[in-house]
Amino acid sequence: MPQQERARATRAAILHAAAEVFDERGYGSTSLDVVADTAGVTKGALYFHFPSKAALADAVIAEQHRLARAYADRVSAVAGSCAEAIVLSCASLATQLTREVTITAGIRLTTEVPDRALTVAPPYLDWLDQMGRLIRGAVDEGAFRADLDVDAATHLLVGAYTGVQTLSGATTGRADVFERLAQLLSVLLPWMAAPGSESLTTSLVALVRPTDLPSAP
């Protein structure tokens, strides 16, 4: 295997191992010795790619951000409307939370009580931006109320989803995350829906289920 390819494979193995360890132990209780052992690499090889634990954690967050955004973009591309894209994106993220350790590790690293400064943009900022654009699009399409406060609705949806998935993770290991997401949307969507589109909530909430994730982008 060419040297460049070996270096890429080693970096990917370290990132995946780091995600597993960070997800299980959190930032404070993770040691680089355990990450190196889990990845099956030497400590020197780990330091070659990541000079510190903070740099490794930031790389996991950046990879989580990349994966989540790529999945959301693919889901949005097949949605029939902005309102549908919102729900499919939420269901896709719930699926990732039950299957992708990089996603759960990145979210844990971002939402834990921080004892360090991030050098990468927190992924939830991108989530706010994406949801805000989709909510605005649903207003423009007539599915959501014309007088809807888009900024307030965006922060409420993202904040409530963050709380729902965190509580689901703490109480059931996210076994009930789809049920809790459906309950959340059953409350929020009628508030956002335009007059005369009451049936929209039922059809959209029905989309909340595990989705087939594409191969890791």
Side-chain angles (χ1 to χ4, degrees):
M1 186 186 294
Q3 186 176 356
Q4 231 178 5
E5 231 175 284
R6 282 201 307 272
R8 279 198 297 268
T10 299
R11 186 181 188 279
I14 294 169
L15 262 184
H16 185 75
E20 290 182 339
V21 179
F22 281 131
D23 189 48
E24 180 184 348
R25 302 184 178 204
Y27 182 81
S29 300
T30 290
S31 76
L32 293 183
D33 286 331
V34 173
V35 173
D37 287 345
T38 303
V41 302
T42 65
K43 194 89 171 284
L46 189 153
Y47 275 118
F48 175 79
H49 291 280
F50 305 101
S52 66
K53 183 167 78 168
L56 183 55
D58 287 345
V60 170
I61 292 171
E63 179 64 5
Q64 179 251 316
H65 176 101
R66 186 190 71 81
L67 281 172
R69 183 56 187 262
Y71 285 137
D73 286 346
R74 293 185 186 192
V75 165
S76 294
V78 301
S81 66
C82 287
E84 187 176 315
I86 290 167
V87 176
L88 289 177
S89 294
C90 289
S92 173
L93 179 56
T95 303
Q96 294 164 47
L97 288 167
T98 61
R99 299 183 192 174
E100 290 270 15
V101 70
T102 300
I103 300 294
T104 53
I107 289 175
R108 178 169 185 175
L109 288 167
T110 302
T111 56
E112 274 184 335
V113 176
D115 57 0
R116 64 190 185 88
L118 292 173
T119 61
V120 294
Y124 52 76
L125 295 181
D126 191 61
W127 183 244
L128 284 167
D129 177 67
Q130 182 200 14
M131 287 295 105
R133 285 187 287 104
L134 289 174
I135 290 173
R136 168 57 62 193
V139 171
D140 293 341
E141 291 173 353
F144 289 175
R145 291 171 18 219
D147 65 345
L148 182 67
D149 185 330
V150 172
D151 183 66
T154 300
H155 280 78
L156 183 58
L157 174 59
V158 173
Y161 192 171
T162 300
V164 162
Q165 69 84 11
T166 300
L167 184 60
S168 174
T171 56
T172 69
R174 296 195 177 90
D176 65 349
V177 68
F178 292 97
E179 178 186 355
R180 302 307 174 194
L181 173 58
Q183 290 171 345
L184 172 65
L185 293 175
S186 294
V187 172
L188 289 184
L189 287 174
W191 168 64
M192 294 192 285
S197 58
E198 288 76 13
S199 61
L200 181 68
T201 295
T202 303
S203 61
L204 290 178
V205 171
L207 299 174
V208 178
R209 57 181 179 269
T211 60
D212 292 328
L213 295 176
S215 300

